[in-house]
Amino acid sequence: MTTTASDHLGESSSGPPDAWVVAGRDVDGRPLPSLRQRLCPPMPEDRPWDWLGPVLVALFAGLVRLWDLGRPARFVFDETYYPKDAFGLLRFGVEQQFVDKANERILAGDLDVFAGPAFVVHPPAGKWMIALGEWVFGMNPFGWRIAVALLGTVSVLVMARAVRRLTRSTLLGCLAGFLLAIDGLHLVESRIALLDLPTMAWTLFAFAALLVDRDWARRRLADAVEPDGQVPPDGWGPPLLWRPWRLVAGLCFGVAVATKWNAAVVLAAFGLLTWAWDIGARRAIGVAFDRLSSWIRLALDTLVAFVTVVGSALVVYIASWAGWFASPHGYGRHWAESNPASGLASLVPDALRSLWHYHAEIMYFHTTLTDEHQYASSPWGWLIVARPVSFDWVDNIGPDQGCPTDRCVQEILGIGTPVLWWGAVLALVASLVWWLGARDWRFGVPVVGVAATWLPWFLYTDRPIFYFYAVMILPWLVIAVTLVCGKLLGPEDASPRRRVWGAAAVGGFTLLVLVNFAYLYPILTDQVIPYEDWLRRMWFRSWV
């Protein structure tokens, strides 16, 4: 495969930040690219590899996620909640309580297990996704896991294509997708029916849409000032109020928030980041924010952007409760009828007031939960994989059950591939330096992403929280690692020795991650292994 300037994340791939522009040359004296190249560097030339590479990586991810997906043939960890909630949605449009020993009865084929409306603490969208698999394949382990497994697979493809756009490198895009595919936590959560992987996937889809929107808008700004590169006559340029990819991002964020509320923080963070990208683009074409007209136009753009992204997300969120609105049996559905409103509140429809009260009860639950759990962990340890979660454990498996020794075990351990996560911590620090020090906007993506998905959990350390929530952090860690790998590979005009050593470093790190993933694979997928082999994989006491 031939390489071009766009094949590596070197300085030549996108040009220096606008602040370095001096007399047509950068700080190293090299000729600067054109305004169009600085606003929107060209994508790699479309070749079969540009799609074939990401698709092959996604197919690999799909293979390891779908293989033997129905095992273990039982409810695993919090699967005792969400697949049954999804089944209630299928039958009644709202979640239901279940009779005693409902899990055992469902596995035995008895599906008459409902016992009235249930109070649930997460919105319905993620459970509707699980319900789709149950509708197609039945109320069985494969049926309730397939939708999450497919989302995990698609997220690998989207990661590869998004990072390709971010770096202008198909090679780095495939690397990002591959690293995501061989992360242990991503694999485990793709193979069980929880809500965190779907939430992560839809936020990643939204981010990918924002990247497309960034290029879309900047191309139009470049068109407005070319060929002379002068400031637009009106001092602002085209208004760009209709942004279709922003609408797509808003819809994806809406699905994410309608799966778990923590996605709302990601929406806010990347909404602000895309707003900052727009200001940078206007400044790049010569807009000066030194007059009232510019601030008025900025305010108008900001309002439209807010309505496009947040408004569409809100519409999706409310629509996800359609079953609750339509059913007379939803929990708290008629609260407003027995609690009449007064004043301005009386103008709000009863159904919306009931939904608002329901949300207040959910918030109270989340903020007052004090139960203890043996696998609860502090977010301080998440990035270094201090306390993984055992989703399933079977001990004392003997020779009559396929054990080659006297004692075997099975486990599904929710753990990220340690080499990847530990390397990502260093890459995250480097990203912060390159973002703030070198003013390279790309490195701001993982910094903002990690801040939005990790830091909010420190507000809730007095309630039980778990490492598997950290799958939301994972995409941004992978992006940080990939961007640093691009720097290690070096620019197109680097010396052959630099390129060889850079490729060796990146290849060596990727190989270490792959070997680490393969080593952990048996305890990620519930394989029967001798107890001694399991114990050797417990590198720290906190992993047990």
Side-chain angles (χ1 to χ4, degrees), residues 265 366-367 379 454-463 465:
V265 182
H366 284 304
T367 54
W454 180 45
L455 296 182
W457 287 109
F458 287 92
L459 300 174
Y460 302 101
T461 54
D462 56 347
R463 57 152 288 175
I465 52 179

Side-chain angles (χ1 to χ4, degrees), residues 8 127 177 191 247 270 324 381 406 469:
H8 301 303
K127 289 167 280 188
R191 291 176 55 86
L247 178 61
F270 278 95
W324 184 87
D406 291 336
Y469 299 168

Side-chain angles (χ1 to χ4, degrees), residues 105-116:
R105 291 175 61 172
I106 289 171
L107 293 173
D110 178 8
L111 302 183
D112 186 16
V113 292
F114 301 104

Side-chain angles (χ1 to χ4, degrees), residues 42-382:
M43 291 292 293
E45 180 182 352
D46 283 329
R47 298 162 296 183
W49 168 251
D50 296 325
W51 270 105
L52 182 60
V55 167
L56 287 176
V57 172
L59 287 175
F60 163 75
L63 177 64
V64 295
R65 281 152 181 77
L66 295 172
W67 183 264
D68 206 12
L69 184 62
R71 192 178 59 84
R74 56 183 176 272
F75 292 89
V76 173
F77 201 71
D78 279 358
E79 281 189 339
T80 193
Y81 302 115
Y82 309 124
K84 291 189 296 185
D85 285 345
F87 190 47
L89 289 173
L90 270 183
R91 289 289 183 92
F92 300 97
V94 291
E95 297 89 343
Q96 295 287 301
Q97 295 183 31
F98 291 86
V99 299
D100 291 341
K101 297 185 178 181
N103 291 2
E104 293 82 354
R105 291 175 61 172
I106 289 171
L107 293 173
D110 178 8
L111 302 183
D112 186 16
V113 292
F114 301 104
F119 171 71
V120 294
V121 296
H122 293 296
K127 289 167 280 188
W128 276 115
M129 298 174 215
I130 295 171
L132 182 61
E134 295 171 349
W135 177 63
V136 175
F137 296 101
M139 185 58 182
N140 56 68
F142 182 88
W144 67 63
R145 292 171 187 158
I146 181 63
V148 178
L150 291 176
L151 278 172
T153 301
V154 174
S155 71
V156 170
L157 176 62
V158 172
M159 171 65 82
R161 293 291 297 181
V163 173
R164 176 182 181 269
R165 180 171 293 275
L166 182 67
T167 62
R168 295 324 200 232
S169 168
T170 301
L171 176 63
L172 291 176
C174 290
L175 174 63
F178 185 65
L179 291 176
L180 188 64
I182 59 175
D183 177 72
L185 187 62
H186 190 279
L187 172 68
V188 167
E189 294 205 47
S190 295
R191 291 176 55 86
I192 55 179
L194 304 186
L195 300 180
D196 301 272
L197 190 285
T199 309
M200 181 278 293
W202 285 101
T203 55
L204 179 60
F205 301 163
F207 164 70
L210 289 178
L211 279 183
V212 179
D213 170 76
R214 187 181 192 275
D215 285 349
W216 182 93
R218 287 177 168 237
R219 279 195 299 269
R220 279 151 184 78
L221 289 177
D223 291 340
V225 298
E226 287 187 344
D228 55 9
Q230 298 299 312
V231 181
D234 64 355
W236 181 257
L240 301 181
L241 299 180
W242 168 239
R243 305 274 284 266
W245 284 102
R246 266 189 177 164
L247 178 61
V248 172
L251 296 175
C252 292
F253 273 130
V255 178
V257 177
T259 301
K260 288 192 78 171
W261 283 357
N262 55 326
V265 182
V266 187
L267 186 162
F270 278 95
L272 291 174
L273 187 61
T274 189
W275 177 75
W277 290 345
D278 274 7
I279 293 177
R282 295 288 179 180
R283 295 182 63 184
I285 64 171
V287 173
F289 290 90
D290 57 357
R291 49 185 174 177
L292 181 61
S293 62
S294 295
W295 288 103
I296 292 175
R297 289 179 180 233
L298 177 61
L300 177 61
D301 276 2
T302 303
L303 177 61
V304 173
F306 181 86
V307 172
T308 302
V309 179
V310 179
S312 60
L314 181 61
V315 169
V316 170
Y317 182 85
I318 294 176
S320 73
W321 290 85
W324 184 87
F325 283 117
S327 171
H329 305 297
Y331 178 88
R333 177 64 181 80
H334 301 290
W335 174 87
E337 296 175 11
S338 56
N339 293 270
S342 59
L344 292 177
S346 62
L347 301 178
V348 180
D350 282 353
L352 288 179
R353 288 203 304 117
S354 295
L355 184 63
W356 180 265
H357 181 262
Y358 191 175
H359 279 59
E361 290 190 295
I362 294 174
M363 177 61 74
Y364 179 80
F365 170 87
H366 284 304
T367 54
T368 60
L369 183 64
T370 58
D371 294 347
E372 295 184 359
H373 195 286
Q374 63 174 327
Y375 285 109
S377 63
S378 168
W380 284 113
W382 289 357

Side-chain angles (χ1 to χ4, degrees), residues 364-412:
Y364 179 80
F365 170 87
H366 284 304
T367 54
T368 60
L369 183 64
T370 58
D371 294 347
E372 295 184 359
H373 195 286
Q374 63 174 327
Y375 285 109
S377 63
S378 168
W380 284 113
W382 289 357
L383 299 189
I384 57 172
V385 197
R387 180 60 171 163
V389 178
S390 181
F391 287 114
D392 190 54
W393 170 261
V394 179
D395 198 353
N396 297 317
I397 299 174
D400 58 332
Q401 296 170 285
C403 178
T405 64
D406 291 336
R407 181 188 179 189
C408 283
V409 299
Q410 290 176 282
E411 184 173 33
I412 300 177

